[in-house]
Amino acid sequence: MRTLKIMNSREKESLLKELQSKFGLDVKQFQKLVFMQDSSEIWISNKDCLTQELDLPVESVGLLLARKKPEMQLTVNAVQLYCSQTAKNTIQLDRNNAQEFIRGHKLTTEKPDGLYTMKYGGRALDLGWVEKTILKRKNP
Amino acid sequence: MNMRKSRQRLLENRFRLLSDDSREFFECSQKPSRKSLHVNTLKTTKSEVVSALEDQGFTLRQIPWASGGYWAEGSSLSDTVEYFLGHYYLQESSMMIPPEMLEPVGGDVVLDVAAAPGGKTIYIAGLMENSGCIVANEPNAKRRKTLRFNLSKYGVLSAVVSSTDFSRELKSSVKFSKILLDAPCSCEGQFRKNPLSWKQWSLAKIIRYSRLQKKMLANALELLQPGGVLVYSTCTLAPEENEEVVDYALKNFDDIKLQPIGKQKFKYRKGLTEWNGRKYSTKVEDCVRVYPQDNDTEGFFTAKIVKCAR
């Protein structure tokens, strides 16, 4: 059974700075949320979930935001929820390419190597990784 | 129907007794069910989904009893980018009724007793706008994995996933303002969606489920706070799993009552007060039966139970 620790304000601020720097996130989105972590994962939930005294076996609370290993990486669900307003390192896809991308197929791009937020319309789909003009999904 | 003749005859006889229009029931049950979806307002808006799907050639029609529910015609609803984004959830239209009947509001502490795969929990979270707390419960580990996946995919931040087995004795003192028990059942109402369930039908199964449902409902009622609401629902039409279970609860809990649901945007029938030689409390007339032919949906049963305030 895992034990998550609620992050204090200093830990939360440090994490949000890292996410803002790496992914260009608007940290105001997270103001009302509680952050929890263990050695490998970061979870978020609303405050109401943590004020309940539940004497039932709990397996998880809220949503998995990011994995810490081997490096800090947002989950696909976190990207979709929080990266739509990101302007940093993004690649815009049309519908056909978006469908290819989400199916796990590789695409080609002229963008430099690195991590990108893949967008379709005004929405963030997931993270993509470009290496030598080949773009593929970062999250499996 | 492809099943043993004796079982087929038994099933047909039961449905002839359940309603005067059993012929319409069997005719409707042979037709595939209509595809339907529910917009996930935690991640998008109804207009965005309707516009995006209509652009791709789908035809959508609003479901009268479900805010954000649409019947959809077109190929492969699960193959769109919008589905990948978690903008809508594929859900049978009659399954949208229990969360609406529960009427959850922000600040509620809700228990979804048999939550997997998560459609109704997601619906409730949408109605509550990700506020309050929903305990999404599922005792089966494999189904719980699917539940967690779906809750994350659809952006639910207000859910606590629990693994309590409500068929066993409970040792809990927590109280909930709203409880949804969409109980495991024999699925007689799902013959359209799952033609295999005709073959799997048996009276023994109905009796087994009835025993399980009584235990689950009794346990759930212990956790309902005074003034709280519990919606009991199944996708079967068997009175043994429906009115008999509600009748059992009425006889064993003297602080609960059934709440009639009044006029609705779907056709429904009253609960049965007797079946197969057994008489139930007349109060079960306030239960709700929906047959496939009533609204061109799957079959369904539901009851709204209120615990009296102290």
Side-chain angles (χ1 to χ4, degrees), chain B residues 42-56:
Chain B
L42 295 176
K43 282 184 135 183
T44 185
T45 63
K46 290 180 250 186
S47 55
E48 188 175 342
V49 169
V50 170
S51 170
L53 291 181
E54 285 180 345
D55 277 351
Q56 294 171 71

Side-chain angles (χ1 to χ4, degrees), chain B:
Chain B
M1 276 184 279
N2 185 9
M3 59 194 303
R4 271 213 196 139
K5 283 208 170 119
S6 57
R7 237 181 331 144
Q8 185 175 334
R9 262 198 303 274
L10 177 59
L11 182 64
E12 285 172 1
N13 287 339
R14 281 174 61 92
F15 279 103
R16 280 195 194 97
L17 292 170
L18 276 176
S19 72
D20 296 331
D21 54 345
S22 58
R23 189 169 59 85
E24 285 83 349
F25 167 83
F26 286 114
E27 274 171 13
C28 191
S29 295
Q30 304 288 330
K31 294 190 297 186
S33 49
R34 291 192 278 180
K35 286 184 266 191
S36 49
L37 60 90
H38 187 253
V39 173
N40 177 25
T41 51
L42 295 176
K43 282 184 135 183
T44 185
T45 63
K46 290 180 250 186
S47 55
E48 188 175 342
V49 169
V50 170
S51 170
L53 291 181
E54 285 180 345
D55 277 351
Q56 294 171 71
F58 292 95
T59 306
L60 268 65
R61 197 157 72 83
Q62 169 93 59
I63 295 169
W65 55 84
S67 53
Y70 295 87
W71 286 297
E73 284 170 40
S75 64
S76 214
L77 279 166
S78 56
D79 203 27
T80 67
V81 178
E82 288 75 17
Y83 181 76
F84 172 80
L85 282 168
H87 283 188
Y88 58 87
Y89 188 87
L90 299 178
Q91 189 172 46
E92 154 58 29
S93 56
S94 59
M95 300 297 144
M96 300 179 197
I97 295 172
E100 293 282 354
M101 275 177 60
L102 195 64
E103 296 178 292
V105 294
D108 266 335
V109 184
V110 180
L111 169 63
D112 187 350
V113 176
K120 294 186 188 72
T121 315
I122 293 160
Y123 200 123
I124 290 168
L127 292 174
M128 293 170 69
E129 298 178 342
N130 253 342
S131 71
C133 175
I134 306 169
V135 175
N137 186 73
E138 173 51 56
N140 178 288
K142 198 172 169 189
R143 286 171 62 77
R144 211 163 46 243
K145 196 173 170 189
T146 306
L147 171 64
R148 284 201 319 270
F149 175 85
N150 281 327
L151 293 178
S152 291
K153 177 184 163 103
Y154 290 91
V156 177
L157 292 166
S158 55
V160 174
V161 174
S162 170
S163 55
T164 309
D165 185 347
F166 272 75
S167 69
R168 294 173 187 253
E169 193 192 332
L170 271 194
K171 290 171 190 169
S172 173
S173 57
V174 67
K175 298 294 181 199
F176 296 91
S177 53
K178 303 264 166 73
I179 298 180
L180 174 63
L181 172 48
D182 184 40
C185 67
S186 60
C187 299
E188 281 178 346
Q190 299 224 313
F191 288 154
R192 295 178 74 179
K193 180 179 161 189
N194 181 13
L196 264 183
S197 49
W198 289 108
K199 271 193 191 176
Q200 292 161 352
W201 184 90
S202 77
L203 198 50
K205 206 189 237 190
I206 287 174
I207 291 165
R208 260 198 326 270
Y209 274 120
S210 178
R211 271 192 226 119
L212 169 66
Q213 289 146 356
K214 285 167 185 166
K215 276 190 208 148
M216 292 179 79
L217 181 55
N219 277 333
L221 283 169
E222 293 288 356
L223 302 188
L224 186 63
Q225 72 186 30
V229 172
L230 184 150
V231 169
Y232 174 76
S233 63
T234 71
C235 59
T236 188
L237 300 171
E240 295 91 339
E241 298 180 67
N242 295 325
E243 286 89 346
E244 186 176 309
V245 173
V246 174
D247 182 66
Y248 169 85
L250 289 170
K251 288 184 162 89
N252 285 278
F253 290 82
D254 57 12
D255 58 350
I256 62 169
K257 59 181 182 184
L258 279 176
Q259 188 169 93
I261 65 166
K263 195 170 174 191
Q264 296 288 327
K265 291 176 181 170
F266 56 89
K267 182 184 169 189
Y268 68 92
R269 305 169 191 227
K270 290 188 299 190
L272 304 173
T273 53
E274 61 181 290
W275 174 257
N276 204 19
R278 291 177 92 142
K279 280 191 168 22
Y280 307 129
S281 162
T282 52
K283 292 172 188 166
V284 303
E285 275 194 344
D286 286 333
C287 296
V288 171
R289 291 191 148 257
V290 174
Y291 290 4
Q293 66 274 30
D294 291 343
N295 306 284
D296 194 8
T297 64
E298 299 286 355
F300 196 71
F301 171 90
T302 189
K304 190 167 182 176
I305 301 171
V306 177
K307 189 173 258 192
C308 302
R310 284 206 194 95

Side-chain angles (χ1 to χ4, degrees), chain A residues 7 9 16 41 46 68 77 86 107 116 136:
Chain A
M7 291 168 83
S9 49
L16 290 178
E41 294 179 346
N46 74 5
K68 293 181 183 178
N77 302 311
T86 299
L107 301 173
Y116 292 86
K136 55 185 182 180

